Amino acid sequence: MKKLSFSAQIALSLVLSVIVGCLMQNYADFAQTYIAPFGAIFLNLLKFIVVPLVLLSVISGIISMKDIKLVGKLGLRSLLYFMVTTVFAVTLALVLSSVLADLFPAVKIPNTNTVEAVSITLMDQIMAMFPKNIIEPLSSMLMMQVIVIAIFFGVAIVNVGEKAKYAKEVVLSFNEVVTKVLAYIMALSPIGIFCMLTPVVAVNGPTVLGSFAVLILVTYLCFVIHAVFVYSAAVRALGKISPLKFFKGMAPAMLFAYSSDSSIATLPYTEECAGKLGVKKPIREFVLPLGATINMDGVAIYLGVTSVFVAHCAGILLTMGQYVSIALAATVASIGTPGIPGGALALMAMVFASAGLPLEGVAIVAGIDRIVDMGRTTMSITGDASCAIVMQRFCGNQVPDAEAQE
C-alpha cells in the first residue's frame, strides 16, 4: 500500500479525532483522563525542542546571510509587513462584527462602566523584548527575548570573523542535531493531534457551538476573508506566486496549527512548508521565528470581534474613539500574545479595559476560546509564511542558498 503523505496523515487524524470525540461525549472524563495526557506529552515534546530550535536557527540564519545590513533590512521589512497585516486584521474584525452585531447571542453582561485594569503600552511591549539574563528566557519560553539573544550572538559571530570559526561550527552542528530530534518528534504528529483534539470535541460537543455559533462564525468569517484577500494579495502582488500554490503548500502546517493551537509548536512545520515553496533557509530561519512571536493576526481579529460582542451584550454603543482604542490595544496586545494555547485570554482584559468594556466578558468568551484558538493560530502561521514568501522575493537574491552549500 502506498504510504500516505504527511498532509493526508494530518487530515486523517483530524477527521478521526472529530468522529471519536463526538462518539465519546458521554465519556468526556475518560477522554480527558486517558487520551488528553498523550496529547499533552506530544505538545511538551514540541515545546521542549522549540527553544533550542529558534535560538540556533535564528543564529544560523544570520550566519548564513553573512551581511549584517541584510539582516537589518530583512528584520525591518518583516516588522513593517506584520504591522500592516495586523492593522488590516483588526479593522476587518471591528467593521464586520459591528455590521453583524445584532445576530450575536443574547448573553447579558452588566454594564459596570467602572472598568479598571493595568494598561499595557507599546513601550511596555518593547521593554519586555529585552532579557535581564540569559537563563530565564530559555527556561520560561519568552520567545521574543530568545530571538533578541539569538540576534546578538549571530551578529557577533559574523562580525568577529575568523576568530569565531569554532563558535560558528558548533552552532551549525547543534542546529543539525536539533533538526534531527525534531524529525523524531514530528513523526508522532498524527497520534499527537488525535490525542489533543479528541478530548476537546468530547468535552465541548455541539452545545458550545450552538450557543455561540454566530460569534464563532463571524470570527471564522473574518479569518477566511483576511486570508483570501490580504494574504492572497500579498503573495500574488509582492511574492509573485499563485495564492493557490501558496495555500496548497502550506496545508500541512495549517492543519497542524489548527489542531495544536500553538504557533510556536507549529514552527517546524511552517519552516518545512515554506522551504518547499522556495523560501531559502536563512530567510525562513529568521523571519518565521520572528513571526511566530510577534505576528498574531488571528489574535487581533479575535480581540476585535469579542470586543464588539461584549459591548453588544452589555448594551454599550461604541463610539469612534472606543473603536480606535480597541484597534490600538488589540494591535499592541497581539504583539505580546504568547504563542501557546489560550494565550489571547491573558491580554483580553487589557483590550476590554481600553474601551471601558466590562471585564466579566472575558469569562463569557472563555467558553469558546479553545474552538476559536484553533482558527486564529492557523491564521497567524499562515501570515508568517506569507511574509517569508514576500521577503524571499525582495531579499532572496542577496541571500546565499545555505541548503545548496550543504
Side-chain angles (χ1 to χ4, degrees), residues 91-104:
T91 302
L92 168 66
L94 291 173
V95 171
L96 189 60
S97 56
S98 296
V99 171
L100 302 176
D102 290 339
L103 300 177
F104 285 145

Side-chain angles (χ1 to χ4, degrees), residues 17-19 21-22 25 103-107 197-220 258 309 364-375:
S17 64
V18 172
I19 294 172
C22 289
Q25 286 182 46
L103 300 177
F104 285 145
V107 180
L197 199 55
T198 298
V200 175
V201 178
V203 171
N204 291 301
T207 306
V208 173
L209 290 173
S211 301
F212 292 91
V214 175
L215 178 59
I216 295 170
L217 287 174
V218 170
T219 306
Y220 272 86
Y258 191 79
F309 166 69
I364 301 297
V365 175
I368 63 164
D369 184 72
R370 185 70 162 84
I371 297 168
V372 178
D373 200 4
M374 297 185 289

Side-chain angles (χ1 to χ4, degrees), residues 1-23:
M1 182 182 294
K2 186 178 179 180
K3 186 178 179 181
L4 288 175
S5 67
F6 183 70
S7 298
Q9 292 178 38
I10 298 293
L12 180 61
S13 180
L14 282 169
V15 172
L16 288 176
S17 64
V18 172
I19 294 172
V20 174
C22 289
L23 294 175

